[in-house]
Amino acid sequence: MSLTITPETTRFQQEVKLGRVLIVEDEELIRETLALALTEEGYEVITAEDGRKGLELLSKSHTSSHPSAPIFDLIILDLMLPYINGLDLCRLTRHEGSSVPILMLSAKGTETDRVVGLEVGADDYLTKPFGMRELIARCRALLRRHHRSQQQTQEAALRFHEIVLYPQECRVTIRGEEVNLSPKEFRILELFMSHPRRVWSREQLIERIWGPDFMGDSKTVDVHIRWLREKLELDPSRPEYLLTVRGFGYRFG
Ligand code: CA
């Protein structure tokens, strides 16, 4: 059996490679021209003609409860939009914790607009009228930069068997699933994972995590270890990661 490459599979491969772009722009001519140019470049393009539609698409992509929700690799946002303007959309996107690259478009070109755009979390700013080639070059640069920083985040991750801790994102996964840790639990785990097999006494843990002014007693440490075990261990009563070292304290791995 031979593999036939249909136009669909070719297009699919291009989409996978270049990414998905959301364009929120109310001027139809600009929206369609942008969509066409980016599609021809090999991007998958989704468009919204006002701020409300844009927000709808964006909020779907923020929650994992929508399996079919589009996840965007790049957002092109017009500044002046009906219902919700581009600045607010940008602010909301960042508020949700998304680091997706955002390119703002605006008919205004004063420095104030530019500064405000960048302050609310846009990565780049382009003033209308602009050339398509410049826009595409900026999109490519933003995607490249974002990809590089994602790679750096991945590289900075601490791994131990099935546990991965991302220090910059304050995020932990176990067996590929996100684990919800409190800030203290996260810092304890980060400390442990940065020093595998090192034994920590309760006093050392208190000093490192709670600080020298901590007034509570060392039982606090035991309680936090128990909570961490409940979240990380398959069987918290027979831990494989967070081990008790009798007479000394705890160690990881
Ligand atoms: Ca507009």
Side-chain angles (χ1 to χ4, degrees), residues 26 28-30 50 52 57 74 79 90 92 111 115 129 146 153 166 173 203 206 213 224 236 246:
D26 57 322
E28 193 181 353
L29 184 64
I30 298 181
D50 61 52
R52 207 148 56 193
L57 288 164
L74 175 72
L79 185 67
C90 184
L92 287 164
E111 195 172 352
V115 169
H146 186 62
T153 308
Y166 302 90
T173 61
E203 292 69 31
I206 283 177
D213 299 330
H224 278 79
R246 267 182 215 295

Side-chain angles (χ1 to χ4, degrees), residues 56-100:
E56 228 169 81
L57 288 164
L58 282 169
S59 40
K60 272 186 198 165
S61 75
H62 294 147
T63 48
S64 50
S65 54
H66 296 262
S68 60
I71 303 291
F72 304 106
D73 299 292
L74 175 72
I75 301 170
I76 300 176
L77 267 185
D78 183 31
L79 185 67
M80 301 296 282
L81 290 165
Y83 309 119
I84 305 169
N85 70 41
L87 286 179
D88 286 336
L89 279 179
C90 184
R91 207 178 277 130
L92 287 164
T93 304
R94 292 298 181 239
H95 184 72
E96 293 289 332
S98 167
S99 63
V100 59

Side-chain angles (χ1 to χ4, degrees), residues 24-27 30 49 78-82 105-107 128:
V24 191
E25 165 66 80
D26 57 322
E27 284 169 72
I30 298 181
E49 68 270 24
D78 183 31
L79 185 67
M80 301 296 282
L81 290 165
L105 303 178
S106 171
K128 294 175 191 173

Side-chain angles (χ1 to χ4, degrees), residues 107-178:
K108 307 177 190 172
T110 65
E111 195 172 352
T112 327
D113 292 325
R114 200 179 296 261
V115 169
V116 171
L118 297 175
E119 263 176 9
V120 296
D123 299 277
D124 201 359
Y125 200 100
L126 203 53
T127 306
K128 294 175 191 173
F130 50 82
M132 274 307 144
R133 285 168 67 166
E134 175 165 19
L135 179 116
I136 285 166
R138 301 257 193 132
C139 288
R140 279 206 200 114
L142 282 173
L143 282 163
R144 216 168 28 233
R145 213 190 314 157
H146 186 62
H147 184 67
R148 222 170 14 233
S149 79
Q150 273 183 323
Q151 269 181 331
Q152 280 163 357
T153 308
Q154 287 282 329
E155 281 161 17
L158 299 170
R159 289 160 211 276
F160 191 88
H161 294 276
E162 295 163 308
I163 304 179
V164 188
L165 183 143
Y166 302 90
Q168 288 158 20
E169 299 171 28
C170 296
R171 201 160 71 79
V172 175
T173 61
I174 181 155
R175 292 173 283 275
E177 302 226 355
E178 204 90 15

